[in-house]
Structure formats: C-alpha cells, structure tokens
Amino acid sequence: MTHYEAIVIGAGVAGIYQIKRLADLGIEATVLEAGGDLGGTWYWNRYPGARFDSESYTYGYSFSRELLDDWHWKEHFSGQPENLRYLNHVADKFGLRKYMQFNCRVDAAHYDEAENLWRVRVNDGRELTCRFLILTLGLLSVPTLPRIEGMESFKGRSFHTFHWPHEPVDMAGKRVAVIGTGATGIQVIGEIADKVGDLTIFQRRPNWSAPLNNAAISEAEMADIRRRYDDIFAACSRSPGGFLHEPDRRGFYEVTAEERKALWDKLYDEPGFGIWLANFREIFTDEKANAEFSEYIANRIRQRVKDQKVAEKLIPRDHGFGVQRVPMETRYFEAYNRPNVHLVDIGETPLVRVTETGLRTTERDYDFDIIVYATGFDAITGAYDKIDIRGVGGLALADKWRTTISTFLGMMIHGFPNLLMPAGPQSGSASTNYPRGIETGVDWCTDLLEHMWAKGYTRAEPTAAAEARWTDHVTKMYAMMLMRKAKSWFTGYNSNVPGHEQGTIRYLVYNGGAPKYVNAINAVASGGYEGVTLGARHPGGTSSPSLASGRS
Ligand code: NA7
C-alpha cells in the first residue's frame, strides 16, 4: 500500500497551487485527478466562447514574480485554450506534473480512527493512505443534465458544455439547439450564432446579462500591467469579490437619478464585472434600488434586441439584476436579431422529451443535428457528494450535509479530522475571483500543516462549537442579501438534482466579502488555531512528516 503525508484530490487551479506549496516544503504528496490531464474547469469546459469573466491579470497566480513576468495575457478576458496553456505552463515551470496522477477518480475516502489516517480508494482498484486529505474538487465540476425522457434516443450529437469534445465540432450549416441561458449558455450562444446553420435556444428563465467588452492586450499594455501587478493584487485584496472593481461608496439615495444613470452608462461600456461590482452597494440589498437598476438594464436589452416581443422574453421577471451570478456577454443580445436564431420560451411551453430527431415541447417537435446542454452544475457540494467520504465513527459527509451544510471557515469539518478544503463550501473562495480566493485558502491550510509539523501534532479537528459559530455567521450574512430570494446555484438550487429542486436555501457561500473572510481566518491562525483541536493521536507516535523520498 502506498502512503503519502498528503493526498490532494483535483488538479485544477486550487490543486496546482496546493501541490506547489507541499512540493516546496518537501512533503511526500500526490494529486489524484479524474481528468486525463490537469486544469480542472479549463481542462473540461472547451465549449466555444468559454472564457474568463475576471480580468486575465487578476486571475493568474500571484505567488511568483517570475511567473508574472514571463506570461503574456493576450486578452483582457482570456479564452479557454489560452487559460489551459497557462495552467500547463505553471505546472511545467515549477515541475509539478510529476506529483500528479491522471485518470484517477477517487471513489471513497474513509478516516481510520485507529491509525489516524485516511484510506483513499481509487477507481483503478488501488487503496492509498495519507495523514492529510486535501480536497480541491472545484466549485462547478459536476455537470447536471435535465431529467427528461428520451435523452439516449437522440440520433444526432449531444453533449453538456462541460463535456464538449476535445476535437473541433463542425457546426457549419448544422441545426443546433442550446438548452440553458446561464453564464455558459450566454457565452456559447454569442459565439456560435453566426457560425451555425440554425440556432434554437430553449430558455426556461432569462438571466440578467451585460457586455464583457473584451479586447486584446498589446505587448506595451502587458508591460504596463507587469509593472502594476503589486497594485493590481492589492486592489483585488481590498475588494469584496477579489476583483479590480470596488463598490461605489456613494449612497444610492444620496445622488440624483441623473447621477445614477451617468454611473450606469459609464459602467455598461466598461470591461468586466464593473456593472455588477462597481455599482452602488444598495443594488445587492435594497429592493427599490435594485428595481431601478434592473429597469435600466431592461431598457438596454430593449434597445439592442429589434423584435420587442423577443426583448421582453429576455428580461428576467423573477429576480433583479445581480442577485444571481451575472453572466457577461459578447454579442449575445444581437444574436437574437439574426434570422437564423430562434428563442423558445420553455417556461411557457416546457420540454416534454428528447426524440430521435430533436426536442419536443408541449407545443411542437423541433429537429436538430446537435443538442447542447448548457444546464449547469451540482454546484459547490456536488463533487463532495460524489465521493464516499466518511469521518469519525463512519459518519458519511453526504449525510452530515444532507439538510444543512456546516463547516469551520469553509475549510474544515467537525467529525472529519485532517481533512482540509482550501476552497470548500462556506469559504471565501466560493464567492470571489477564484484564484484570489484559493491562494488565501491554500496558504491558510498549508500554514496549519506547517504549524502541526513544527509542534508535533498529527491530528486536527474543529470543535462542534466552532463549526456551529462559523455556520451561524455564514447564515446571518445571507439575511441582508437579496440573493437569498433567488433560485440559483448561489443558494443551492438545481432543478436537476433530487433534493435541490425545491429552492430551499442552502448556505453555500460566504457573503461577507474577501477582506472580512481573510481577517477571520487570519485571526484564527494568529490566535493559535482556536476552535481547532490539535493533538497527537498516539502520544508516542512520530509526528515528523514523511519527506518526498517516496515510501511504498
Ligand atoms: P447555470 O448558471 O446554473 O445555468 C443553467 C441554465 O440551464 C439556466 O438557464 C437554467 O434555467 C437552465 N436549465 C437547467 N436545467 C434545465 C432544464 N432541466 N430544462 C431547461 N433549462 C434548464 O449554469 P452555467 O453553466 O450557465 O453557469 C455556471 C457557472 O459557470 C457560472 O456561474 C460561471 O461561474 C461559470 P433556470 O434558470 O434554472 O430556469
């Protein structure tokens, strides 16, 4: 049996940085990755139009000056192929690939109390053991398909956007259906509308969306960005979302309607999430302020979409702007002005089944060559549910989290010793510019490990009381947010996952903003990890970590 001091599950953005930290410390560790290669989100999501909504230079890792200096982001919002190249560049530059095992899906991870270690079962039949289990599973890594009849019967090609084929898909002249108009559907539709024969969009509920305003980055501009990296990352760490965009601190009601409109006109034409995150803070908390801004965006949609009946269907009625994740778009609304693009409102005429030749709604049959499912993810906890994770006394994590999620700082769980989640549910990473969040989470987890190794501890587990306090804090943060009323993956809603389709709120993300989160976790660390019981399971046992010499 092979033993490691630490096993990291998932070789995405978080797993790559986590193994870098462990490798630098000389710890014997491995990364188990279900995919055929590294990259996580950027390995899987190869659909046309997949790109950052974060400014590229705020998405890259900040840990290495040399890395920052040698990478040239080619676009302000870089696309999937380039993003995957970047992550491969990072792994190669720091020699991380040798620690990674691909095509290794972890089926189970059970805590062995007698030995104080984790037994990890891989789908190739191996059982590995480790002292520390570090889960970097991704927030949106378990795609979900609709539960409609006949999906296997379709004779054309069909795929979820997450499983978009690695080889190019020839769509020229084809009749294509896209189901779903979340961030993904909106990216795909804008990208393929002028490249396919006919495009039919099946929309259940529209989403609020605003222009990405992407542009290329020249050599000179990139040189300037490199000079400003310290300021860029400092700005990200000041902002609630880990972005360059900071809220407008003026009170919504302290300025005139004209001044508000002037800000919105400016933000609408600027790149990225500014329209969402550099807005008045009341947008997120005050129904009236939100309604006024939503109406502003609705008018923008009316101006961009020629057929006013279609425009009205693209305007959300069940939630205001920004209370769900705001998709950023490129030529999305203009797609509906094309004669080859058709909108089907499946809120009115629901999908009934997939047929051999296409889709059937309550109204009629449609024939297609390709069906694209842009139907989202079992977000944030889905990847945890897929592994049979058992803690003290054989308690299944899926059972512990069945009715309410509870964690300590979003990174540890009572009853699951030596299990760390640098970007777990209820952590800051789930609600921020992901790399900014995971660098914080990975550093905190690694600091805890270093503390344990230095002091000779072999077991860490948060107390039930500390976990209850954190979960209560996370829950209270939702109380002031309009977001709590919207059915989206932020609140744990997914119509395709049994148990999550009711829209009963699940407290999955930390809404206090990155600075507050970082203060909270740093206070725990500097206070000697109050709330975490640190101990040596076997008083006589060795505590020194096994170093990277390999030990089988
Ligand atoms: P989302 O944002 O969860 O969107 C999924 C979309 O698919 C949304 O429009 C759903 O409609 C629709 N959907 C889901 N299930 C069905 C069924 N069964 N029938 C019809 N329509 C359905 O996922 P995305 O992939 O777009 O974005 C996820 C994140 O990835 C995004 O936030 C970025 O951070 C990256 P609904 O609104 O539920 O009515």
Side-chain angles (χ1 to χ4, degrees):
M1 184 174 315
T2 307
H3 180 82
Y4 297 93
E5 181 70 4
I7 289 180
V8 179
I9 307 182
V13 171
I16 291 169
Y17 181 47
Q18 182 63 73
I19 196 64
K20 165 84 171 73
R21 288 292 320 266
L22 294 171
D24 285 351
L25 292 168
I27 298 301
E28 192 186 348
T30 191
V31 186
L32 304 177
E33 165 59 51
D37 208 338
L38 59 85
T41 285
W42 303 108
Y43 171 80
W44 292 103
N45 288 280
R46 292 164 189 253
Y47 61 84
R51 64 175 61 254
F52 293 150
D53 284 344
S54 310
E55 283 75 6
S56 308
Y57 33 89
T58 71
Y59 192 98
Y61 295 110
S62 71
F63 65 77
S64 158
R65 185 78 236 180
E66 209 184 295
L67 175 63
L68 293 168
D69 284 342
D70 72 14
W71 186 258
H72 180 166
W73 291 107
K74 305 280 180 355
E75 292 176 276
H76 282 270
F77 303 91
S78 174
Q80 178 273 334
E82 186 73 353
N83 306 344
L84 186 57
R85 261 196 296 282
Y86 170 75
L87 294 175
N88 275 283
H89 169 74
V90 174
D92 293 339
K93 183 177 177 70
F94 298 107
L96 303 176
R97 199 172 270 282
K98 62 177 176 283
Y99 302 107
M100 299 177 183
Q101 305 181 48
F102 301 117
N103 299 305
C104 287
R105 184 171 290 286
V106 173
D107 293 329
H110 293 180
Y111 177 66
D112 179 334
E113 251 183 299
E115 300 291 330
N116 183 33
L117 50 74
W118 283 90
R119 297 185 180 281
V120 175
R121 209 174 61 234
V122 187
N123 64 344
D124 57 16
R126 285 181 299 158
E127 185 183 276
L128 312 176
T129 57
C130 59
R131 167 99 347 124
F132 296 102
L133 183 66
I134 306 179
L135 303 181
T136 49
L137 304 175
L139 303 175
L140 299 159
S141 50
V142 179
T144 51
L145 289 164
R147 291 180 286 172
I148 42 177
E149 276 181 43
M151 288 178 60
E152 300 312 311
S153 67
F154 181 58
K155 296 269 195 275
R157 299 187 74 181
S158 63
F159 22 80
H160 190 287
T161 43
F162 185 80
H163 288 128
W164 195 274
H166 284 209
E167 67 285 359
V169 178
D170 178 16
M171 290 192 285
K174 300 278 191 323
R175 298 162 302 171
V176 180
V178 174
I179 305 176
T181 50
T184 302
I186 283 175
Q187 285 188 333
V188 178
I189 293 161
E191 183 67 27
I192 68 173
D194 62 354
K195 300 180 182 67
V196 302
D198 231 43
L199 177 61
T200 309
I201 293 126
F202 292 83
Q203 173 185 267
R204 190 164 59 186
R205 288 185 305 150
N207 255 296
W208 294 104
S209 185
L212 179 64
N213 295 317
N214 192 17
I217 300 179
S218 67
E219 290 283 350
E221 210 175 345
M222 193 63 223
D224 178 56
I225 288 167
R226 286 198 192 95
R227 274 192 295 275
R228 291 190 293 111
Y229 263 130
D230 286 347
D231 292 342
I232 289 171
F233 290 124
C236 290
S237 65
R238 279 195 307 270
S239 82
F243 291 98
L244 289 174
H245 314 285
E246 294 190 52
D248 194 304
R249 300 276 164 195
R250 296 173 299 167
F252 185 95
Y253 298 105
E254 285 165 17
V255 297
T256 64
E258 289 69 34
E259 285 169 316
R260 292 198 282 271
K261 184 167 175 304
L263 174 68
W264 297 337
D265 284 345
K266 174 171 136 339
L267 293 177
Y268 199 82
D269 292 336
E270 283 179 358
F273 277 139
I275 191 77
W276 189 22
L277 305 177
N279 217 313
F280 300 101
R281 289 166 296 176
E282 288 85 345
I283 301 295
F284 295 94
T285 55
D286 179 313
E287 301 267 9
K288 203 166 143 259
N290 184 284
E292 184 180 316
F293 180 58
S294 299
E295 187 53 23
Y296 171 86
I297 296 287
N299 283 329
R300 287 291 197 149
I301 296 171
R302 291 181 185 112
Q303 285 157 18
R304 289 175 59 188
V305 178
K306 287 192 186 130
D307 181 337
Q308 288 304 297
K309 277 209 208 89
V310 175
E312 291 307 316
K313 283 197 182 299
L314 294 171
I315 297 171
R317 312 282 166 193
D318 68 328
H319 67 280
F321 186 98
V323 304
Q324 296 182 178
R325 200 287 204 189
V326 175
M328 303 309 293
E329 47 87 19
T330 304
R331 299 184 300 277
Y332 175 67
F333 292 108
E334 285 69 22
Y336 292 93
N337 296 334
R338 299 179 55 83
N340 68 330
V341 175
H342 322 283
L343 179 64
V344 178
D345 181 347
I346 51 169
E348 264 174 21
T349 56
L351 282 173
V352 179
R353 61 169 299 132
V354 182
T355 65
E356 285 190 10
T357 56
L359 294 167
R360 180 174 301 158
T361 67
T362 50
E363 189 184 41
R364 55 165 278 204
D365 277 7
Y366 297 82
D367 288 345
F368 296 111
D369 303 304
I370 299 172
I371 300 176
V372 177
Y373 294 98
T375 44
F377 297 87
D378 188 356
I380 303 181
T381 50
Y384 294 83
D385 290 345
K386 282 194 86 168
I387 303 174
D388 177 19
I389 300 170
R390 288 173 194 263
V392 174
L395 175 65
L397 182 59
D399 285 336
K400 176 174 167 118
W401 282 355
R402 198 164 301 281
T403 45
T404 44
I405 311 298
S406 56
T407 71
F408 179 57
L409 309 178
M411 293 192 282
M412 302 178 84
I413 312 165
H414 177 65
F416 296 79
N418 294 353
L419 183 151
L420 296 166
M421 307 176 292
Q426 303 185 339
S427 76
S429 310
S431 52
T432 50
N433 190 6
Y434 193 59
R436 303 282 65 76
I438 67 93
E439 282 190 342
T440 305
V442 166
D443 285 343
W444 192 90
C445 290
T446 311
D447 289 352
L448 169 62
L449 293 176
E450 281 197 274
H451 175 79
M452 292 177 71
W453 290 324
K455 302 272 183 197
Y457 295 120
T458 57
R459 192 180 191 278
E461 182 187 357
T463 64
E467 179 171 291
R469 270 199 306 278
W470 180 254
T471 302
D472 185 52
H473 174 58
V474 169
T475 306
K476 286 203 172 106
M477 289 281 168
Y478 275 72
M480 62 206 284
M481 307 296 283
L482 297 175
M483 168 229 262
R484 73 188 184 282
K485 298 183 179 172
K487 280 178 166 182
S488 83
W489 64 266
F490 277 0
T491 49
Y493 164 78
N494 186 318
S495 70
N496 310 311
V497 179
H500 297 174
E501 70 275 65
Q502 297 308 323
T504 310
I505 191 165
R506 297 166 67 232
Y507 299 98
L508 296 176
V509 299
Y510 180 79
N511 283 314
K516 204 166 172 161
Y517 180 72
V518 172
N519 283 344
I521 65 174
N522 286 347
V524 170
S526 58
Y529 297 98
E530 200 192 332
V532 180
T533 307
L534 293 169
R537 182 75 183 159
H538 302 293
T542 171
S543 60
S544 58
S546 35
L547 297 176
S549 54
R551 165 159 89 84
S552 291

